[in-house]
Short mmCIF file of all heavy atoms in Angstrom, two decimals:
data_model
loop_
_atom_site.label_atom_id
_atom_site.label_comp_id
_atom_site.label_asym_id
_atom_site.label_seq_id
_atom_site.Cartn_x
_atom_site.Cartn_y
_atom_site.Cartn_z
N GLY J 198 -7.98 47.81 50.42
CA GLY J 198 -8.68 47.11 49.35
C GLY J 198 -8.42 47.71 47.98
O GLY J 198 -9.05 47.33 46.99
N GLY J 199 -7.48 48.62 47.90
CA GLY J 199 -7.20 49.29 46.64
C GLY J 199 -6.67 48.36 45.57
O GLY J 199 -6.93 48.53 44.39
N GLY J 200 -5.91 47.35 45.98
CA GLY J 200 -5.39 46.37 45.03
C GLY J 200 -6.52 45.62 44.34
O GLY J 200 -6.47 45.38 43.13
N LEU J 201 -7.54 45.29 45.09
CA LEU J 201 -8.70 44.61 44.52
C LEU J 201 -9.44 45.53 43.56
O LEU J 201 -9.85 45.11 42.48
CB LEU J 201 -9.63 44.13 45.64
CG LEU J 201 -10.91 43.43 45.20
CD1 LEU J 201 -10.57 42.16 44.44
CD2 LEU J 201 -11.77 43.12 46.41
N VAL J 202 -9.59 46.78 43.94
CA VAL J 202 -10.25 47.76 43.07
C VAL J 202 -9.47 47.89 41.76
O VAL J 202 -10.05 47.93 40.67
CB VAL J 202 -10.37 49.13 43.76
CG1 VAL J 202 -10.84 50.21 42.79
CG2 VAL J 202 -11.31 49.03 44.95
N ASN J 203 -8.15 47.94 41.87
CA ASN J 203 -7.32 48.05 40.67
C ASN J 203 -7.55 46.89 39.72
O ASN J 203 -7.70 47.08 38.51
CB ASN J 203 -5.84 48.14 41.03
CG ASN J 203 -5.44 49.52 41.47
OD1 ASN J 203 -6.14 50.49 41.23
ND2 ASN J 203 -4.32 49.61 42.16
N VAL J 204 -7.55 45.67 40.26
CA VAL J 204 -7.71 44.49 39.42
C VAL J 204 -9.10 44.48 38.79
O VAL J 204 -9.25 44.22 37.59
CB VAL J 204 -7.47 43.20 40.22
CG1 VAL J 204 -7.89 41.97 39.44
CG2 VAL J 204 -6.01 43.09 40.61
N LEU J 205 -10.12 44.77 39.58
CA LEU J 205 -11.49 44.69 39.08
C LEU J 205 -11.88 45.85 38.17
O LEU J 205 -12.61 45.66 37.20
CB LEU J 205 -12.48 44.62 40.25
CG LEU J 205 -12.37 43.37 41.13
CD1 LEU J 205 -13.33 43.48 42.30
CD2 LEU J 205 -12.64 42.13 40.31
N ALA J 206 -11.40 47.04 38.47
CA ALA J 206 -11.90 48.21 37.75
C ALA J 206 -10.93 48.78 36.71
O ALA J 206 -11.37 49.26 35.67
CB ALA J 206 -12.25 49.31 38.75
N TYR J 207 -9.64 48.75 36.99
CA TYR J 207 -8.72 49.53 36.16
C TYR J 207 -7.68 48.73 35.37
O TYR J 207 -7.24 49.17 34.32
CB TYR J 207 -7.96 50.54 37.03
CG TYR J 207 -8.85 51.47 37.81
CD1 TYR J 207 -8.73 51.58 39.19
CD2 TYR J 207 -9.81 52.25 37.18
CE1 TYR J 207 -9.54 52.43 39.91
CE2 TYR J 207 -10.62 53.10 37.89
CZ TYR J 207 -10.49 53.20 39.26
OH TYR J 207 -11.29 54.03 39.97
N LYS J 208 -7.24 47.60 35.88
CA LYS J 208 -6.07 46.92 35.30
C LYS J 208 -6.26 46.52 33.85
O LYS J 208 -5.37 46.70 33.03
CB LYS J 208 -5.70 45.70 36.15
CG LYS J 208 -4.36 45.13 35.80
CD LYS J 208 -3.29 46.16 36.04
CE LYS J 208 -1.93 45.64 35.67
NZ LYS J 208 -0.92 46.67 35.77
N ALA J 209 -7.43 45.97 33.52
CA ALA J 209 -7.66 45.55 32.13
C ALA J 209 -7.64 46.75 31.19
O ALA J 209 -7.04 46.69 30.10
CB ALA J 209 -8.98 44.80 32.02
N ASP J 210 -8.27 47.84 31.60
CA ASP J 210 -8.28 49.05 30.76
C ASP J 210 -6.88 49.64 30.62
O ASP J 210 -6.49 50.10 29.54
CB ASP J 210 -9.22 50.11 31.33
CG ASP J 210 -10.68 49.74 31.18
OD1 ASP J 210 -11.00 48.90 30.32
OD2 ASP J 210 -11.50 50.30 31.93
N TYR J 211 -6.12 49.62 31.71
CA TYR J 211 -4.75 50.14 31.67
C TYR J 211 -3.88 49.29 30.74
O TYR J 211 -3.12 49.83 29.93
CB TYR J 211 -4.16 50.17 33.08
CG TYR J 211 -2.76 50.72 33.11
CD1 TYR J 211 -2.54 52.09 33.05
CD2 TYR J 211 -1.66 49.88 33.20
CE1 TYR J 211 -1.25 52.61 33.07
CE2 TYR J 211 -0.37 50.38 33.22
CZ TYR J 211 -0.17 51.75 33.16
OH TYR J 211 1.11 52.25 33.17
N THR J 212 -4.03 47.98 30.83
CA THR J 212 -3.27 47.09 29.95
C THR J 212 -3.67 47.31 28.50
O THR J 212 -2.81 47.35 27.61
CB THR J 212 -3.49 45.62 30.36
OG1 THR J 212 -3.07 45.45 31.71
CG2 THR J 212 -2.71 44.67 29.47
N ALA J 213 -4.96 47.47 28.23
CA ALA J 213 -5.43 47.72 26.87
C ALA J 213 -4.84 49.03 26.33
O ALA J 213 -4.41 49.09 25.17
CB ALA J 213 -6.96 47.76 26.83
N ALA J 214 -4.83 50.07 27.15
CA ALA J 214 -4.26 51.35 26.71
C ALA J 214 -2.77 51.22 26.42
O ALA J 214 -2.27 51.75 25.42
CB ALA J 214 -4.51 52.43 27.77
N SER J 215 -2.06 50.50 27.27
CA SER J 215 -0.62 50.29 27.05
C SER J 215 -0.37 49.51 25.76
O SER J 215 0.55 49.83 25.00
CB SER J 215 -0.01 49.53 28.23
OG SER J 215 -0.10 50.30 29.40
N GLU J 216 -1.20 48.52 25.50
CA GLU J 216 -1.06 47.73 24.28
C GLU J 216 -1.36 48.57 23.05
O GLU J 216 -0.67 48.46 22.03
CB GLU J 216 -1.98 46.51 24.32
CG GLU J 216 -1.52 45.46 25.29
CD GLU J 216 -2.45 44.27 25.37
OE1 GLU J 216 -3.50 44.27 24.69
OE2 GLU J 216 -2.12 43.33 26.10
N GLU J 217 -2.37 49.41 23.12
CA GLU J 217 -2.68 50.30 22.00
C GLU J 217 -1.49 51.20 21.70
O GLU J 217 -1.14 51.42 20.53
CB GLU J 217 -3.92 51.15 22.28
CG GLU J 217 -5.21 50.38 22.30
CD GLU J 217 -5.67 49.89 20.93
OE1 GLU J 217 -5.22 50.41 19.89
OE2 GLU J 217 -6.49 48.97 20.92
N LEU J 218 -0.86 51.73 22.74
CA LEU J 218 0.31 52.59 22.53
C LEU J 218 1.46 51.82 21.91
O LEU J 218 2.17 52.34 21.03
CB LEU J 218 0.74 53.22 23.86
CG LEU J 218 -0.17 54.35 24.36
CD1 LEU J 218 0.19 54.73 25.78
CD2 LEU J 218 -0.09 55.55 23.44
N GLN J 219 1.67 50.59 22.32
CA GLN J 219 2.71 49.76 21.72
C GLN J 219 2.43 49.54 20.24
O GLN J 219 3.34 49.63 19.40
CB GLN J 219 2.80 48.41 22.42
CG GLN J 219 3.37 48.46 23.80
CD GLN J 219 3.32 47.09 24.48
OE1 GLN J 219 2.83 46.12 23.93
NE2 GLN J 219 3.82 47.03 25.70
N LEU J 220 1.17 49.26 19.91
CA LEU J 220 0.81 49.04 18.51
C LEU J 220 0.96 50.30 17.68
O LEU J 220 1.42 50.25 16.53
CB LEU J 220 -0.63 48.53 18.41
CG LEU J 220 -0.87 47.12 18.95
CD1 LEU J 220 -2.35 46.79 18.89
CD2 LEU J 220 -0.07 46.10 18.17
N LEU J 221 0.58 51.43 18.26
CA LEU J 221 0.74 52.70 17.55
C LEU J 221 2.21 53.00 17.28
O LEU J 221 2.56 53.43 16.18
CB LEU J 221 0.11 53.83 18.37
CG LEU J 221 -1.41 53.88 18.34
CD1 LEU J 221 -1.94 54.71 19.50
CD2 LEU J 221 -1.89 54.43 17.01
N GLU J 222 3.05 52.76 18.25
CA GLU J 222 4.48 53.02 18.06
C GLU J 222 5.07 52.07 17.02
O GLU J 222 5.89 52.49 16.19
CB GLU J 222 5.20 52.91 19.40
CG GLU J 222 4.84 54.06 20.32
CD GLU J 222 5.36 53.90 21.74
OE1 GLU J 222 6.15 52.97 21.99
OE2 GLU J 222 4.96 54.70 22.59
N ALA J 223 4.66 50.80 17.06
CA ALA J 223 5.15 49.85 16.06
C ALA J 223 4.68 50.23 14.66
O ALA J 223 5.45 50.15 13.70
CB ALA J 223 4.67 48.43 16.42
N ALA J 224 3.43 50.66 14.53
CA ALA J 224 2.91 51.07 13.23
C ALA J 224 3.63 52.31 12.72
O ALA J 224 3.96 52.41 11.53
CB ALA J 224 1.40 51.34 13.32
N ALA J 225 3.90 53.26 13.61
CA ALA J 225 4.62 54.47 13.21
C ALA J 225 6.03 54.15 12.74
O ALA J 225 6.51 54.70 11.75
CB ALA J 225 4.65 55.46 14.37
N ARG J 226 6.69 53.24 13.43
CA ARG J 226 8.04 52.83 13.01
C ARG J 226 7.98 52.13 11.65
O ARG J 226 8.82 52.36 10.79
CB ARG J 226 8.68 51.92 14.05
CG ARG J 226 9.26 52.66 15.23
CD ARG J 226 10.13 51.76 16.09
NE ARG J 226 9.41 50.59 16.59
CZ ARG J 226 8.70 50.55 17.71
NH1 ARG J 226 8.59 51.64 18.44
NH2 ARG J 226 8.09 49.45 18.10
N ALA J 227 7.00 51.26 11.46
CA ALA J 227 6.88 50.52 10.21
C ALA J 227 6.60 51.45 9.04
O ALA J 227 7.03 51.19 7.91
CB ALA J 227 5.76 49.48 10.32
#
């Protein structure tokens, strides 16, 4: 059931963290 736990508990936060890092890198380059 770990896949379900990942989707419900962690995936959105992980995606948000990845997006923040992408934005930080883009801002630093700019």
Side-chain angles (χ1 to χ4, degrees):
L201 179 62
V202 171
N203 281 342
V204 169
L205 295 176
Y207 304 124
K208 192 61 181 174
D210 289 339
Y211 181 78
T212 301
S215 296
E216 288 178 358
E217 290 290 341
L218 286 169
Q219 289 175 358
L220 292 175
L221 284 162
E222 290 171 9
R226 280 192 302 273

